[in-house]
Amino acid sequence: MTDGAGSNPPPLPVFGPEEKVCGNCKLWAAHSVDHRGWVGVCRLQAERGLFPPSAPLCNKFLPRGVAAKALPPDSSRRERTVRGVGPVVRRRERDPNEVVDLEGLELNMTRAELMELIREAVGEGGEAPPLANKWEGGSIKLVPGKSDVQGKDLPIDAFFHKIVMVRDKLRVMEQKLNAHPKLTDAEKVEMQSYITRIYGSLTSFNLLFRDKEDHFVGSKSED
């Protein structure tokens, strides 16, 4: 591209390698010809506009034909923290004594009581009572009354687990019964008597428990 220099612009000036001028810098690029001769731009400092290649060097000088040096790592640069792209879920702390609204069901139950009931239902209650040592690894043999019918062996551990589940469900029922807001005291006593009889019927299985405090008793269980 030329500017007032006709169709045949003058050749680009050539400078010796020792000359400290912009024409020897790879950042300077020829643009056009004006009254000063060839002028060009600095690729790094475009704000300088057009200037001749004979301009003195600046602190950004890069010799032609020499590869640019890689910038040293900046020790002061703070490392970027890798953040997950998924949403951050923050759980709100809930009051365990908060009364739970079960969509219109007339149940006076706190959040802690509801969670306890759910854990009981899925078998995640407190620590299971231990089986008496003498029964560990044993089995219960079911012998049919007919000789042509095959019997069955039931592991005592599995049978004991079922007994414990029955006991835990009875205790939950007893607690909910005593706290029920719709029952009168007379109705609670009557229902409690049935639970007491159930406990009495289950005392036959007390020999399976290792610890006496886990036994069934024919009165209201102590929790």
Side-chain angles (χ1 to χ4, degrees):
M1 180 176 181
T2 61
D3 183 8
S7 58
N8 297 315
L12 283 170
V14 178
F15 303 95
E18 73 284 352
E19 296 185 69
K20 297 180 180 181
V21 292
C22 287
N24 281 338
C25 179
K26 64 167 48 179
L27 296 177
W28 185 88
H31 178 271
S32 59
V33 177
D34 64 11
H35 65 281
R36 296 170 293 180
W38 277 101
V39 291
V41 295
C42 177
R43 295 188 180 96
L44 197 61
Q45 303 177 78
E47 68 276 6
R48 294 182 62 180
L50 298 174
F51 58 92
S54 57
L57 298 180
C58 68
N59 58 355
K60 305 296 183 182
F61 174 73
L62 291 176
R64 292 184 181 276
V66 179
K69 296 182 179 180
L71 294 176
D74 186 357
S75 59
S76 63
R77 182 180 300 171
R78 184 176 58 185
E79 294 184 359
R80 296 179 60 188
T81 302
V82 179
R83 298 177 181 268
V85 297
V88 177
V89 178
R90 292 182 173 86
R91 298 185 181 273
R92 182 166 65 91
E93 293 295 332
R94 308 302 293 265
D95 182 2
N97 296 319
E98 176 186 352
V99 176
V100 181
D101 181 9
L102 297 178
E103 299 295 335
L105 295 180
E106 296 181 353
L107 294 177
N108 185 19
M109 183 181 300
T110 65
R111 183 172 299 277
E113 289 173 335
L114 177 60
M115 293 306 299
E116 179 185 355
L117 185 61
I118 293 174
R119 286 193 294 267
E120 290 284 351
V122 299
E124 296 181 0
E127 184 178 355
L131 177 68
N133 295 335
K134 62 181 177 180
W135 303 116
E136 291 181 356
S139 62
I140 299 174
K141 183 178 290 292
L142 302 179
V143 181
K146 297 182 180 180
S147 59
D148 58 338
V149 178
Q150 185 178 2
K152 183 177 181 179
D153 289 343
L154 178 67
I156 292 182
D157 289 348
F159 180 75
F160 179 68
H161 176 70
K162 299 294 183 183
I163 296 298
V164 171
M165 291 290 290
V166 171
R167 188 202 66 170
D168 291 345
K169 296 299 184 292
L170 283 173
R171 289 183 174 180
V172 173
M173 181 186 297
E174 188 177 15
Q175 293 170 358
K176 301 309 173 187
L177 175 65
N178 291 332
H180 201 289
K182 299 297 183 179
L183 295 176
T184 65
D185 290 342
E187 290 172 329
K188 291 180 181 180
V189 171
E190 181 183 1
M191 298 298 293
Q192 180 63 52
S193 66
Y194 288 106
I195 296 179
T196 300
R197 295 173 189 174
I198 296 173
Y199 281 135
S201 299
L202 293 173
T203 55
S204 299
F205 300 110
N206 284 343
L207 77 165
L208 297 175
F209 292 90
R210 188 190 70 185
D211 301 326
K212 188 174 181 179
E213 57 266 25
D214 293 320
H215 286 185
F216 292 103
V217 293
S219 61
K220 182 178 178 181
S221 68
E222 299 291 338
D223 256 354

